[in-house]
Amino acid sequence: MELTILSREETHVIGITFTANVTEDLGKKLSATTTEALRARKSEIHHQVGEAEY
């Protein structure tokens, strides 16, 4: 097995890339969760408004 030593710059680039990918993934999950929560809340409000009209 050959061991490869990475330079400080290479390690830094890998770290930034990893962080960016994780952040983007978390951002998408958060966005999807927030959107879903807002849709559910909107539906709930429409339901309550609908009941109030009768």
Side-chain angles (χ1 to χ4, degrees), residues 2-8 10-11:
E2 196 175 319
L3 184 63
T4 304
I5 305 296
L6 297 175
S7 70
R8 182 181 291 252
E10 289 170 323
T11 306

Side-chain angles (χ1 to χ4, degrees), residues 12-43:
H12 190 66
V13 168
I14 291 168
I16 290 173
T17 304
F18 176 76
T19 303
N21 289 341
V22 170
T23 304
E24 183 181 5
D25 191 43
L26 287 174
K28 286 177 183 174
K29 286 179 181 161
L30 180 63
S31 178
T33 302
T34 304
T35 303
E36 193 58 40
L38 288 172
R39 280 195 190 120
R41 183 71 181 129
K42 183 178 173 186
S43 176

